[in-house]
Amino acid sequence: MYNRKTLKKILQYPIFIIFIMLMISIFNLQIIEHDKYRITAENNFLRIKTIYPVRGEIYDRNYQPIVTNKPSYNIYISPGKIIDREKVTDFLSKTFALPRDEIQKVIYENRFRLFQEILILQNVNYDKLVKAAEKFNYFPSLSYKAEAVRKYHYENHFTGHLGRINTHEYDKLRENGYSINSFLGKNGLEKKYETLLRGENGYEIIQVDASGKNLQFFKNNLEKKATNGADLILAIDNRLQEQISKIFPKDRKGAVVLMNPRNGAVLAYVSKPDFDQNIFSSNISNQEWNALINDPDNPLLDRVIHGTYPPGSVYKPIIASLGLEKKIIDARTKLANCTGGLQVGNRFFKCWWEQGHGRLNVIDAIKYSCDVFFYDLSTKLTLDEIKVHTRQNMMTIKTGIDLTGERTGFFPDKKWYVDNYGKYISIEGQKVNLAIGQGEILVTPLQICAYYAALCNDGLWVEPHLFARSITEKRTTRFIQTKKKLPISAENFAIIENSLFKVVNEAYGTGGAARISEPTVYGKTGSAENHMGTETHAWFAGFMREKDSDLAFVVFLENAGHGGSVAAPLARKIIRFYLSL
Amino acid sequence: MKNFDWIIFFLLLLLMFSGVFFIYSASSTKVGNVITTENYYLKQILWIIISIIMLFILQKIPYNIIDIFIVPLYIFSLILLVLALFFPQVKGSHRWIQLGFMNFQASELAKLSLILIIAKFLSKSRLSEIAILRTVILFSLGPIILILMEPDLGTALTIIFSVFAILAVSDLPFFYLILFISPLFSIITSFSLLLYGIYIVALILILLRINLSKVVIGFTVVINSFFFFITPIIWNNLKTYQQERILSFINPMHSPFGSGYQIIQSKIAIGSGGLLGKGFLSGTQKNLNFLPEHHTDFIFSVIGEEFGFLGCMFLLLFLFLFLFRISNRILSLNRKVFRYAAVGMLAYLSFQIVVNVGMNIGIMPTTGIPLPFISYGGSNLLINVLAVGLILKFINEKSIFL
C-alpha cells in the first residue's frame, strides 16, 4: 500500500530528527554548560549525605539510666588515601597500642572501599587523640570524628551490647540503611529491640558550591530528617538491681529474678558473676578477652535464661498438682511411710531427712519437702503424663521473655532414655528421681520464677518481660503478651497454696528462714544434687501478696548448699528491701 | 554470501569492539598508579565471539527452516517469561533466568520471537483490517503483560514501539495508528482544558485531510474525550506513593534520592567531559562510584566523561550510519515477511539507542534499557546481534527469491 518513498520517510525521518535532537542536547551539556558541570564534578558539590539517627537509650522504671550514649572520639581510615601502609600501621599501633595484624586486617578487608572512611578505632582517649592529631597531617588517610558510644551504667546480663556490623550482616542489612561502620545490637535487649532503638537514616543532598550558591539541580525535597531511635523504659528497678548485687554472696554464682506476677514485668534480673558490657566498646586486648571467656566462673553466662539446672524440690508442687488433678491423691491422702527412704524395684531411694518423716499427706510432704511421698506418687504416674504436665505448667519450654537465645531446658522421655542408656533401662527408677526435680530434668531460673508467679496470680501464667514501654513522637510500642491458665482446679490450687504457706510460716517448714512478719511469704526450697560439684544447688522460689505490689521471686545459688539455709535467708533480705522501697 | 552486506557487518564489529573498550574503562577504578579492572570486558569479548559465530551460522540456514521454528520459539519465550517470575528478584524485578553459570534475561528472546511471529502472520496476503489487529493483539498481549509483571517497563515499551512500527509499514490503514496513539495525547493534555482543546481541533483537521467519513471521525473524538475525562478521575484515586512513582518516572528530578540523583550524576559526568573528555580511565565521576551501573545502563556517561563531545559525536555518528544503512537496505526487500521483521528489529534497536542515550543525558526517563552493542550484558548482546544477523540474512536472501 505504501510506495518506497513513503516507507523511507516513515523509517528514516524520525531516526534522523531524533539523532539531531540528541546531538543538540549533548552539545548543550558538554560545550555550553560544560563549566558548571566541570566545577561541580571537581569539587564534589553534589552528593548525598546520610544522616545517621541517634540510638535510643534504655531506662529503668523510674527513668534512671541503664544504657545511655556518651561522646566518643573515633578514628577512621580511608584505604584509597593510604600512602605507605607500613607507616600508617606503625603509627597507629604505637600511638594507640593496637595490634599490627588487626590494623592490617581492617585495611585488607576494606581494600576496595577506596573512598569510604572505615572505622578503625573507637572510643579513643581524648588526651591521646590531641597528642596524635598533630601527626595526622602526615597521614591523609586518617581522620577522626566525635561520635556517640554506648555507656552501660552497671554490670548486667540483659542489656546485651553493640558490636561492629560483620560482612554477613552488612550484606543483609545495607538496604535498611546500615553502613560498613555501623554498630548493631549483638544480643540481649540491644538486639531484640534493634529496629526500635536504631531509628531511621535521614538524607541530605549537598548541592551548594564553594561560595554557598545553590546549584539548583533539584528544586525541592532536599532533606529527609533522620528519625532518632526510641528510648526504652524497662520494668527493671535499678535500686533492686544494685541491692541484690550488693548482698549476693561475693564468692557465689547464681541468679535472682523478681517479677510482678500480675503483668509479668521483671523488676530485677541478676546473674552472678556478671561482667561489664562496656568492655566491648573499649578496645579490649586479646589477653583480657581470653581471661574473660576462660574464667572458670563463666561470668559471660546469663544464668537466668542461658543456664539450665535441675530444679530439685522447687519442682515438687508440679508433681503434687498432677497427683491432685488425676485424683490419685487428695488433701488427706497419706502415701508410703518415710523411713529415710523408699524401696522402688531393686533400688533404695533416700529421703534427704535420714530419720524419716513417717506417713505424710501432700501438704505436709511439701512443707517438710519429704522425698518419699513424691517417690511413691511417681510410681502411680506415667513418664508421659509427667512430661506433658510439666510443659503445661510452662516448665522446660521457653518463657518468651524479650531477650535473645533463651534456653528451653530439658525433660527426658522414654525414647531419650532408650537412645542414651539402651532398651533395658528401668524407666521406673528414672521417674522416681524426676519426681523430686532430680536426674535429667533441667530448667532455667526464669521458668521457676514464672511458675511461682502464676501460683501467686491464682493459676494464670503470664509471659515475663523486661520492656515496659517506649513512646516517641511518632509511635507507641506495645507488645502482645502470652497468658495461660495452668491446668489446676481452684480447689487443688488452694491445697498447693496452703502447703507453700506452711513451708515458710509454720514451725519446721523448710523455708522458715524467709519468714517476715508482714505480709505473708509463700515459697518452696530446693536443694538439687548435680554433677557440677559436691554441694547442692540452693533454690528458693515463691511469692508474696501485697496490695498493688505483689511479687514473685526466685533465688538460685550454684553449688552453695541447702535452699532452706542459703537461698531462703537471701530471699528474705531481698523481700525486705523490696518492701522498704 | 554474495549479497552479504559487509558494511553493516563492519559497523556492527566496530560498535561492539568499541563497546569492549568502554566496558574496560567503565569497570576500572584508577587510584594513583593503581588500576583495578573487573573482568566484565573479557566476558563481553567471549559473548561477541559467540554472537558472531551465531550470526554466520544463521546466514547458512534457509529461511524456510527458520520459519518452522518461529511458533515453537514464541511459545518457548512465553514459558521463559513465566519461569522468570519464579526466580528470585535481582534489584527489585524478576527479569533473570538464573542458571548458575550464566543469567539470561527472559524478555530478550521474547522481543525477537514476537517480532518474527507478528511478521510471519501479518505477511499473509489479503488480511482484513480486523484480522491484522486481531493477530497483533493476540500475539503481543501475552509477552507485554508478563514483562510488565516482572516489572520491566522499559522492555515493554520497546516491544510496544516495535509492534507499532510494524503496523505503520503494514497494510493497516494509517487511521488505525492515529486511533491507537491519539488517546495518549489526550491523557497527556488532560490536565489543561486549553491544551486539550488545541489538540482535539488539530486531530479533527488531520482526520479531515485524510478524507475519513464523519462517523469514523466522530468515533475517534469520542474515544479521545473518554480518556480526557477518565484520566483526572483515575489520577485522583491513586495513592500518593503511586502518584509519586509516576511523577518520578516522567521527571526523575522529582525524586532527588532515587533516579533523579543518578541522572544528575550522569549529567555531571557527561557535562564535565567537555569537548575532548578527561581521557581513557580518567573519569573522576566514574572513579568515585557515583553511578551504580556504569558498565551497563550508564556506559554512555563514561564515554561522555572520558572522551568528551567528540567521542559522543563519533559514537552517535556510527550508530546513526548503522541504522541508516539498515533502513536503506531493507526498503529493497521484496518479501513482506522480511520487510516487516526487519522494520520491527530496526525499530527496537533504534528505540533502545535513543532511550538509553536520552536517559544518560537526562532528557528521558530512567527505564533500565542498555545501549545496544555497547553496554555489558551477554543475553542482550546475543539477541541484538542475532537481530542484525536476521536482517543481513533477509538482505542476503533477496536475490534468491527475485
Side-chain angles (χ1 to χ4, degrees):
Chain A
M1 131 160 222
Y2 300 107
N3 58 28
R4 283 195 184 166
K5 229 172 168 184
T6 11
L7 207 56
K8 194 165 174 165
K9 275 188 204 164
I10 291 175
L11 285 182
Q12 293 180 341
Y13 281 16
I15 299 182
F16 186 69
I17 293 169
I18 290 174
F19 265 75
I20 294 294
M21 279 165 56
L22 288 180
M23 287 175 170
I24 293 173
S25 301
I26 295 173
F27 180 79
N28 186 38
L29 212 57
Q30 295 196 294
I31 307 298
I32 297 178
E33 292 190 294
H34 170 63
D35 276 344
K36 169 180 162 187
Y37 288 116
R38 181 179 56 82
I39 294 168
T40 312
E42 278 169 9
N43 297 294
N44 200 0
F45 285 140
L46 182 77
R47 62 197 146 93
I48 295 184
K49 197 175 140 195
T50 307
I51 306 164
Y52 291 103
V54 177
R55 196 175 173 89
E57 303 187 324
I58 303 179
Y59 295 93
D60 87 336
R61 63 191 305 114
N62 304 312
Y63 305 102
Q64 296 307 306
I66 300 175
V67 184
T68 52
N69 299 316
K70 68 167 188 188
S72 139
Y73 294 95
N74 301 337
I75 294 183
Y76 287 80
I77 189 160
S78 311
K81 295 185 193 159
I82 296 176
I83 300 167
D84 185 334
R85 203 168 66 184
E86 293 305 314
K87 276 189 185 161
V88 172
T89 313
D90 273 345
F91 172 70
L92 282 175
S93 73
K94 271 185 200 143
T95 327
F96 301 107
L98 209 58
R100 285 181 60 93
D101 46 340
E102 219 167 273
I103 303 168
Q104 299 270 12
K105 192 172 146 233
V106 172
I107 296 176
Y108 179 76
E109 278 175 356
N110 296 292
R111 63 195 181 283
F112 295 124
R113 298 194 174 90
L114 295 169
F115 296 96
Q116 277 183 47
E117 292 179 322
I118 308 295
L119 179 65
I120 200 158
L121 198 60
Q122 205 195 5
N123 215 356
V124 179
N125 178 305
Y126 181 72
D127 294 332
K128 264 188 185 176
L129 181 77
V130 171
K131 275 182 204 149
E134 296 168 8
K135 292 186 189 142
F136 272 32
N137 286 336
Y138 304 109
F139 303 100
S141 56
L142 297 180
S143 57
Y144 66 88
K145 294 181 193 173
E147 284 164 327
V149 71
R150 290 302 242 189
K151 177 176 178 180
Y152 299 92
H153 286 249
Y154 53 80
E155 304 192 345
N156 71 79
H157 278 96
F158 55 88
T159 59
H161 57 85
L162 297 187
R164 182 82 174 272
I165 197 165
N166 61 36
T167 332
H168 175 71
E169 290 164 334
Y170 178 61
D171 288 342
K172 219 168 55 181
L173 292 170
R174 60 193 302 178
E175 281 176 15
N176 302 349
Y178 286 81
S179 84
I180 191 69
N181 297 322
S182 284
F183 280 78
L184 74 172
K186 293 283 182 176
N187 50 35
L189 291 169
E190 293 272 30
K191 179 170 184 183
K192 191 78 186 179
Y193 293 105
E194 171 69 21
T195 27
L196 209 58
L197 287 165
R198 180 182 144 76
E200 281 166 36
N201 284 358
Y203 299 97
E204 188 187 358
I205 285 195
I206 314 282
Q207 57 165 356
V208 179
D209 71 11
S211 63
K213 200 178 83 187
N214 193 326
L215 291 165
Q216 291 198 323
F217 289 119
F218 296 101
K219 288 208 177 69
N220 46 17
N221 294 337
L222 288 177
E223 196 182 358
K224 186 172 156 260
K225 284 212 171 77
T227 312
N228 287 341
D231 293 341
L232 303 187
I233 311 298
L234 302 186
I236 292 283
D237 191 324
N238 278 356
R239 295 169 298 178
L240 285 167
Q241 289 288 128
E242 192 187 337
Q243 180 68 12
I244 294 168
S245 288
K246 209 162 92 187
I247 63 179
F248 199 92
K250 281 287 164 292
D251 46 348
R252 292 294 183 193
K253 297 167 279 182
V256 176
V257 182
L258 304 190
M259 188 175 146
N260 179 338
R262 304 291 168 208
N263 60 17
V266 175
L267 306 174
Y269 186 107
V270 176
S271 167
K272 285 283 174 183
D274 42 20
F275 70 101
D276 186 2
Q277 302 273 6
N278 291 309
I279 54 169
F280 294 100
S281 56
S282 61
N283 308 314
I284 181 175
S285 76
N286 272 346
Q287 282 163 336
E288 286 172 277
W289 177 243
N290 285 335
L292 196 58
I293 53 177
N294 295 326
D295 187 330
D297 287 344
N298 202 355
L300 294 174
L301 177 71
D302 177 358
R303 289 171 165 78
V304 178
I305 58 168
H306 296 160
T308 57
Y309 309 92
S313 302
V314 289
Y315 175 71
K316 282 176 179 164
I318 291 177
I319 295 294
S321 73
L322 178 58
L324 290 165
E325 287 298 308
K326 293 272 173 198
K327 305 215 184 312
I328 295 165
I329 52 168
D330 61 26
R332 286 183 301 273
T333 314
K334 292 187 175 176
L335 293 183
N337 185 20
C338 174
T339 57
L342 182 71
Q343 186 74 28
V344 180
N346 55 5
R347 232 181 106 187
F348 185 74
F349 290 89
K350 278 193 195 164
C351 181
W352 69 273
W353 185 248
E354 287 167 18
Q355 289 92 326
H357 289 101
R359 291 182 54 158
L360 297 175
N361 64 23
V362 62
I363 297 173
D364 288 332
I366 290 179
K367 175 185 167 189
Y368 299 118
S369 203
C370 172
D371 293 338
V372 168
F373 179 90
F374 292 94
Y375 293 152
D376 196 20
L377 182 54
S378 79
T379 59
K380 299 167 174 59
L381 298 164
T382 69
L383 184 62
D384 270 353
E385 275 174 348
I386 299 175
K387 176 165 182 158
V388 169
H389 187 70
T390 304
R391 299 180 68 127
Q392 280 173 346
N393 282 287
M394 307 306 281
M395 208 83 86
T396 68
I397 58 177
K398 289 182 184 174
T399 63
I401 191 171
D402 44 356
L403 289 173
T404 52
E406 185 184 5
R407 296 276 297 272
T408 313
F410 182 71
F411 198 95
D413 52 19
K414 190 162 186 215
K415 187 177 173 303
W416 186 87
Y417 281 119
V418 172
D419 288 351
N420 284 276
Y421 295 106
K423 54 185 166 183
Y424 301 110
I425 185 173
S426 150
I427 302 289
E428 261 331 278
Q430 305 302 326
K431 209 169 66 185
V432 167
N433 235 339
L434 289 171
I436 59 160
Q438 293 285 167
E440 284 78 11
I441 179 174
L442 293 172
V443 299
T444 65
L446 186 66
Q447 285 167 1
I448 297 290
C449 188
Y451 173 72
Y452 280 88
L455 292 181
C456 176
N457 206 14
D458 304 324
L460 182 66
W461 185 94
V462 293
E463 185 184 272
H465 60 90
L466 293 154
F467 175 80
R469 65 190 168 278
S470 137
I471 302 166
T472 61
E473 287 167 33
K474 278 187 179 170
R475 53 178 83 95
T476 310
T477 308
R478 289 175 300 271
F479 52 85
I480 300 160
Q481 199 175 22
T482 314
K483 293 190 176 184
K484 191 177 170 296
K485 195 90 185 78
L486 297 187
I488 183 168
S489 69
E491 195 186 329
N492 291 335
F493 181 76
I495 296 170
I496 300 285
E497 191 183 288
N498 187 17
S499 64
L500 296 181
F501 171 81
K502 291 188 175 187
V503 168
V504 182
N505 299 294
E506 274 192 0
Y508 305 113
T510 52
R515 192 184 314 152
I516 55 172
S517 51
E518 191 65 35
T520 313
V521 172
Y522 301 74
K524 180 75 195 82
T525 56
S527 313
E529 286 168 20
N530 60 82
H531 57 84
M532 292 159 70
T534 48
E535 292 268 23
T536 54
H537 289 328
W539 287 92
F540 189 72
F543 57 87
M544 46 153 262
R545 297 206 181 96
E546 167 80 347
K547 61 172 178 9
D548 295 337
S549 53
D550 294 355
L551 184 74
F553 55 84
V554 64
V555 174
F556 165 74
L557 296 102
E558 258 178 60
N559 301 108
H562 283 280
S565 57
V566 181
L570 183 57
R572 180 171 183 266
K573 284 186 204 163
I574 293 168
I575 293 165
R576 290 184 68 137
F577 181 77
Y578 171 75
L579 290 167
S580 75
L581 290 177
Chain B
M1 297 291 276
K2 212 174 69 184
N3 283 300
F4 188 76
D5 192 319
W6 290 102
I7 295 183
I8 294 179
F9 181 72
F10 280 123
L11 281 170
L12 176 68
L13 277 189
L14 184 76
L15 287 172
M16 288 196 295
F17 280 101
S18 62
V20 172
F21 184 64
F22 297 136
I23 290 167
Y24 181 89
S25 175
S27 54
S28 297
T29 317
K30 183 177 164 191
V31 182
N33 295 324
V34 184
I35 296 174
T36 322
T37 309
E38 313 264 352
N39 288 332
Y40 294 126
Y41 73 101
L42 288 175
K43 289 192 195 164
Q44 184 81 350
I45 291 176
L46 190 70
W47 276 104
I48 290 177
I49 293 168
I50 294 172
S51 303
I52 291 175
I53 293 171
M54 299 284 277
L55 183 143
F56 280 111
I57 292 175
L58 206 57
Q59 307 305 313
K60 297 291 174 198
I61 307 171
Y63 186 73
N64 307 0
I65 293 180
I66 294 177
D67 191 54
I68 298 169
F69 287 103
I70 290 179
V71 176
L73 196 68
Y74 175 75
I75 293 167
F76 179 64
S77 76
L78 284 183
I79 294 171
L80 284 188
L81 282 177
V82 174
L83 276 181
L85 294 177
F86 293 98
F87 279 90
Q89 287 194 339
V90 178
K91 287 186 188 136
S93 75
H94 303 272
R95 292 181 195 183
W96 301 90
I97 305 268
Q98 292 155 16
L99 298 176
F101 59 95
M102 66 164 282
N103 296 338
F104 187 86
Q105 204 167 332
S107 55
E108 297 291 347
L109 187 65
K111 268 190 286 199
L112 195 63
S113 62
L114 178 66
I115 288 170
L116 286 174
I117 202 166
I118 286 180
K120 175 182 160 83
F121 283 92
L122 283 195
S123 59
K124 285 180 185 157
S125 54
R126 307 207 170 277
L127 280 177
S128 68
E129 295 162 12
I130 298 299
I132 293 178
L133 291 177
R134 206 175 47 206
T135 313
V136 169
I137 293 173
L138 181 75
F139 288 128
S140 48
L141 215 53
I144 290 175
I145 289 175
L146 286 171
I147 291 170
L148 282 176
M149 277 166 73
E150 284 179 359
D152 182 356
L153 186 61
T155 307
L157 288 175
T158 313
I159 287 182
I160 293 171
F161 181 79
S162 312
V163 170
F164 270 109
I166 298 176
L167 282 178
V169 297
S170 74
D171 296 336
L172 193 71
F174 199 58
F175 155 71
Y176 283 96
L177 287 181
I178 296 182
L179 184 64
F180 291 139
I181 296 170
S182 62
L184 191 65
F185 289 92
S186 293
I187 292 171
I188 295 170
T189 55
S190 64
F191 64 92
S192 151
L193 194 60
L194 179 72
L195 267 180
Y196 179 71
I198 295 170
Y199 158 68
I200 207 81
V201 169
L203 179 70
I204 292 169
L205 287 176
I206 293 171
L207 291 174
L208 282 173
R209 259 206 75 187
I210 28 180
N211 283 326
L212 290 169
S213 75
K214 292 208 172 73
V215 179
V216 174
I217 296 175
F219 181 66
T220 315
V221 172
V222 167
I223 294 256
N224 271 278
S225 307
F226 172 74
F227 278 98
F228 170 72
F229 285 116
I230 200 85
T231 309
I233 297 172
I234 293 177
W235 177 258
N236 288 329
N237 278 315
L238 288 178
K239 298 253 162 34
T240 320
Y241 77 92
Q242 289 168 320
Q243 293 182 352
E244 289 284 321
R245 208 174 288 172
I246 292 170
L247 284 177
S248 356
F249 176 73
I250 298 168
N251 174 19
M253 296 308 119
H254 194 82
S255 61
F257 297 109
S259 51
Y261 185 72
Q262 282 180 27
I263 295 255
I264 284 283
Q265 289 296 352
S266 173
K267 281 175 84 169
I268 292 175
I270 295 171
S272 64
L275 182 64
L276 296 170
K278 297 172 187 169
F280 186 51
L281 296 180
S282 307
T284 53
Q285 291 295 102
K286 178 206 77 185
N287 277 344
L288 286 170
N289 271 319
F290 282 130
L291 286 167
E293 316 265 349
H294 25 80
H295 58 292
T296 58
D297 295 357
F298 282 100
I299 196 159
F300 191 79
S301 73
V302 179
I303 301 169
E305 185 179 18
E306 299 192 343
F307 303 95
F309 182 66
L310 281 184
C312 289
M313 286 306 108
F314 271 108
L315 180 66
L316 283 186
L317 187 68
F318 285 121
L319 283 168
F320 179 74
L321 284 178
F322 177 73
L323 297 176
F324 189 79
R325 173 77 187 173
I326 290 177
S327 66
N328 255 343
R329 290 305 303 264
I330 61 178
L331 292 177
S332 51
L333 297 174
N334 283 345
R335 279 185 72 181
K336 259 194 207 169
V337 58
F338 288 177
R339 211 160 61 217
Y340 290 173
V343 165
M345 290 163 190
L346 176 67
Y348 97 67
L349 289 177
S350 318
F351 186 82
Q352 290 189 12
I353 291 170
V354 169
V355 170
N356 178 279
V357 175
M359 170 181 84
N360 272 272
I361 60 178
I363 59 172
M364 279 181 199
T366 25
T367 41
I369 292 178
L371 186 57
F373 314 118
I374 309 286
S375 284
Y376 170 77
S379 54
N380 183 269
L381 182 84
L382 179 66
I383 294 294
N384 287 337
V385 172
L386 283 183
V388 177
L390 281 169
I391 293 172
L392 287 171
K393 166 155 203 63
F394 300 153
I395 298 168
N396 211 355
E397 277 204 10
K398 180 184 69 174
S399 53
I400 306 169
F401 289 91
L402 266 177

